[in-house]
Amino acid sequence: GYAVRYSGYLEHQSEPFCTDGYSRSPGLMKLGKDITLAGLEIGLLTMKKGEAARFVFLPSYAYGKMGCPPLIPPNAMVIFEVELLNFLDTAECDAFFELTPEQQDTFPLQKVLKVADTERECGNYLYRSQRFESAKSRYKRALSILGRSPTSAAEQRQINASKLLVFLNLSVTYLKLERPERALAYGEKALEIDERNAKALFRCGQAYLCMTEYKKAQDFLVRAQCVEPFNHDINEELKKLA
């Protein structure tokens, strides 16, 4: 998926006919689905994360002989200014989720973990963009493939490490969605894997605080503080509670 800012101009015009240049955190778009202009598809493949570019497209790489009335006249040459903010290679994930559950079960664990990690990264981008519902969906999709039975203790540790990160992500996302009961449930799931995880203890404390269960909130926040005594966020939350 590509996160881009862009503006499209006709030749000799200073005002764009289309733009996403004012969005602070654009969503992730896919080539051939969300990005269909031939020139842009080719151009983006040449770019690196953080790069800005200016492309001039002949009509055959833009809107063709017919144009796109009333905005784009026939045989128009167009100019696109593009900034590639982020790129996440989700092709492998998309292909994986198109398989049946039986086919997914035949994949090596390392590939499954990689797919889950990429889904979580997509969720993290959406979370940072304050698209919390979309982030939650990505995290849930990552979690959906981490339920396979391990064949060894080492595999169990790897699965648990991936699950732990997703549980923590879901917990904080549900806090943002103002659903503290769900945030608490995922915080507790994280603690089942790592009972001294400061983030999980902190999320549970925040959830109880939102639910106005102050004694339980204090218990969890104090436990989090014991693990990380100099954590600014934990200490601030305890001050708020006091």
Side-chain angles (χ1 to χ4, degrees):
Y2 291 82
V4 298
R5 287 199 193 103
Y6 63 87
S7 294
Y9 300 85
L10 294 172
E11 266 194 305
H12 313 302
Q13 290 192 7
S14 58
E15 290 297 316
F17 62 81
C18 69
T19 185
D20 192 30
Y22 304 109
S23 176
R24 289 180 60 192
S25 301
L28 291 169
M29 298 189 289
K30 293 179 182 176
L31 295 182
K33 183 179 178 184
D34 308 298
I35 302 167
T36 55
L37 206 68
L40 275 178
E41 286 193 65
I42 296 167
L44 280 169
L45 289 171
T46 70
M47 295 181 69
K48 296 177 182 177
K49 181 179 172 180
E51 184 179 356
R54 195 166 189 262
F55 298 108
V56 180
F57 299 138
L58 295 170
S60 57
Y61 289 92
Y63 298 94
K65 292 180 180 179
M66 302 297 292
C68 189
L71 287 176
I72 314 295
N75 286 312
M77 188 176 289
V78 297
I79 299 157
F80 268 84
E81 293 175 352
V82 181
E83 182 182 1
L84 180 54
L85 302 174
N86 207 339
F87 169 71
L88 288 167
D89 188 357
T90 58
E92 190 174 19
C93 292
D94 296 335
F96 182 85
F97 282 105
E98 286 175 5
L99 301 173
T100 65
E102 293 75 21
Q103 290 171 320
Q104 290 178 6
D105 284 342
T106 66
F107 272 64
L109 177 64
Q110 296 310 313
K111 179 166 278 193
V112 174
L113 294 175
K114 184 182 176 186
V115 169
D117 192 53
T118 302
E119 282 297 305
R120 193 176 63 79
E121 284 183 30
C122 289
N124 290 348
Y125 175 80
L126 293 163
Y127 178 91
R128 290 192 296 270
S129 304
Q130 299 191 14
R131 293 175 167 86
F132 301 122
E133 279 289 349
S134 297
K136 181 194 74 177
S137 297
R138 288 288 190 169
Y139 296 142
K140 287 282 187 76
R141 203 154 85 133
L143 196 57
S144 72
I145 62 172
L146 291 173
R148 67 159 55 187
S149 300
T151 59
S152 66
E155 281 197 0
Q156 183 66 72
R157 284 193 295 271
Q158 288 181 299
I159 293 169
N160 282 350
S162 289
K163 277 186 174 180
L164 178 63
L165 294 174
V166 180
F167 288 151
L168 291 171
N169 288 145
L170 279 165
S171 184
V172 72
T173 302
Y174 274 114
L175 284 173
K176 291 292 186 181
L177 290 169
E178 298 181 355
R179 295 176 62 186
E181 295 86 357
R182 299 300 297 151
L184 176 63
Y186 281 107
E188 289 175 335
K189 284 178 182 290
L191 288 172
E192 288 173 13
I193 295 173
D194 179 5
E195 63 182 11
R196 282 180 52 80
N197 186 282
K199 281 187 179 179
L201 293 165
F202 182 49
R203 300 299 174 221
C204 290
Q206 286 180 301
Y208 275 124
L209 192 56
C210 292
M211 295 157 66
T212 66
E213 295 195 36
Y214 301 122
K215 178 65 172 68
K216 289 181 179 178
Q218 184 178 38
D219 288 345
F220 275 97
L221 291 172
V222 168
R223 285 168 63 192
Q225 189 183 50
C226 288
V227 178
E228 292 188 5
F230 300 108
N231 185 303
H232 175 77
D233 293 333
I234 296 170
N235 293 332
E236 284 300 306
E237 207 76 352
L238 278 165
K239 285 180 189 176
K240 191 191 299 183
L241 181 62

